[in-house]
Amino acid sequence: MSLAYTTETQFAISAVQRACLVTSSVFNKLVKNETLVKGDKSPVTVGDYSAQAVISSMLHRAFPNDPIVGEEDAADLRAENGALLRNRIVELANEALSAELGIGDIPEWGIGPGSKQTADELLDAIDRGNYEGGRSGRMWTIDPIDGTKGFLRGEQYAVCLALIVDAQVQVGVLGCPNLPLDLSKPDGDKGCLFVAVKGQGAQQMKLNGADPIPLTMPPYSPSTFTFLESVEAAHSSHSTTSRISAILGLTQPPIRMDSQAKYGCLARGDGGAYLRMPTGVGYKEKIWDHATGSLLVTESGGIITDSRGHPLDFGLGRTLGENYGVIATAKDAHDRLLSAVQEVVKQEQEEAASK
């Protein structure tokens, strides 16, 4: 009997690998005026657009009926003053699409020598990421560069691709070009690919697909337990995490890095838990920021919920709706961590009310 989603997994690995070629190329060639500003003021690089163009273009060839929930659209690139940026994106995307075929690559996905596309085709590919999501059917989520600030610093970022079927994440692939294969050896080999398939486990391999190893999250150990959290305090409340650490009696400092690379590190045992606590009222998490990572956690033996203990709901559209915060950790740590989180949230609410 064949395993489910074999073709989709093979495709997702190939698409993320090619998108990582783009992002690495962009970083090495980063030049002035190739950064736009989104409405939320976070930086968006030419790499975002190029990587989404590559993945969306490949998806259109491989699974033409599958809708895409993507982070970017091409409106700014179609404008008259977007010509310089547009030309750069076309060049970079085509460079990746037309690169030599590797193991597992299929030419019908629109890749390999001679697979260059026109500017209009690539802009249309970017715009295919406008699907609003929903409860039923298949859809893919793309985060072309998760952790843009980390990317610009030459630190951690991730290229994220996930297949969601009937609101359940079935396949997730995470490419982390700057992540050491072993976090305890920061000067060692870098470039990790994390792959998870529902019911089939999770793996880490080199970015080229070599040396796959199965991932199993270690059990709770208070002496070594540490939090993985965002570098940016604007993304997740560091003060809340400090209070939670005090309640649990934790002594290890948090590991701070950008992007869903944190999920990959958690799945392979680099930290005890990933916490993302909201810093403002009304913010709703985007599904592309957690789809791949959530499957890595569960397939490596962990649990992921929001701060109320509810499972993350990927069937509500482009956001996680009323899910509040994210808690991911080993099964035997979740109850005690959830209790500490809820205690701190209650304290903070009472303090805010008394002001």
Side-chain angles (χ1 to χ4, degrees), residues 97-178:
L97 288 170
S98 59
E100 293 292 332
L101 294 172
I103 296 171
D105 284 344
I106 296 177
E108 285 72 24
W109 294 340
I111 53 177
S115 296
K116 292 184 177 181
Q117 298 200 21
T118 66
D120 284 342
E121 287 172 330
L122 290 170
L123 295 184
D124 287 346
I126 293 171
D127 278 337
R128 270 184 218 109
N130 62 1
Y131 184 60
E132 289 301 318
R135 181 68 57 194
S136 61
R138 288 167 56 110
M139 63 179 177
W140 295 81
T141 66
I142 303 172
D143 196 343
I145 295 183
D146 183 37
T148 315
K149 290 182 180 178
F151 169 73
L152 292 172
R153 289 195 302 267
E155 296 174 2
Q156 297 314 319
Y157 72 96
V159 177
C160 316
L161 180 62
L163 171 65
I164 299 173
V165 182
D166 297 334
Q168 300 295 312
V169 186
Q170 297 291 342
V171 177
V173 175
L174 194 67
C176 304
N178 293 339

Side-chain angles (χ1 to χ4, degrees), residues 233-264:
H235 292 170
S236 183
S237 175
H238 291 171
S239 61
T240 301
T241 303
S242 296
R243 287 184 167 197
I244 294 165
S245 294
I247 289 173
L248 293 172
L250 303 181
T251 56
Q252 298 293 325
I255 299 171
R256 288 179 178 157
M257 66 175 68
D258 294 286
S259 84
Q260 287 187 63
K262 293 185 285 293
Y263 279 122

Side-chain angles (χ1 to χ4, degrees), residues 34-88:
E34 287 194 355
T35 299
L36 299 181
V37 175
K38 282 195 292 193
D40 63 1
K41 305 303 181 189
S42 65
V44 175
T45 66
V46 63
D48 256 320
Y49 292 104
S50 304
Q52 184 159 316
V54 167
I55 297 174
S56 296
S57 172
M58 291 176 65
L59 271 171
H60 188 56
R61 298 291 189 92
F63 305 103
N65 296 321
D66 287 359
I68 303 167
V69 180
E71 188 174 20
E72 311 302 341
D73 67 61
D76 289 318
L77 306 179
R78 295 183 189 276
E80 193 174 330
N81 61 1
L84 184 64
L85 191 59
R86 181 171 64 244
N87 293 341
R88 194 74 163 130

Side-chain angles (χ1 to χ4, degrees), residues 312-347:
L312 303 187
D313 190 343
F314 292 97
L316 297 174
R318 294 172 69 86
T319 75
L320 292 174
E322 298 308 312
N323 282 133
Y324 182 84
V326 177
I327 302 172
T329 190
K331 287 180 179 177
D332 61 347
H334 188 265
D335 285 350
R336 56 169 60 91
L337 178 54
L338 180 62
S339 177
V341 167
Q342 292 177 341
E343 183 178 337
V344 169
V345 168
K346 184 180 178 183
Q347 288 174 2

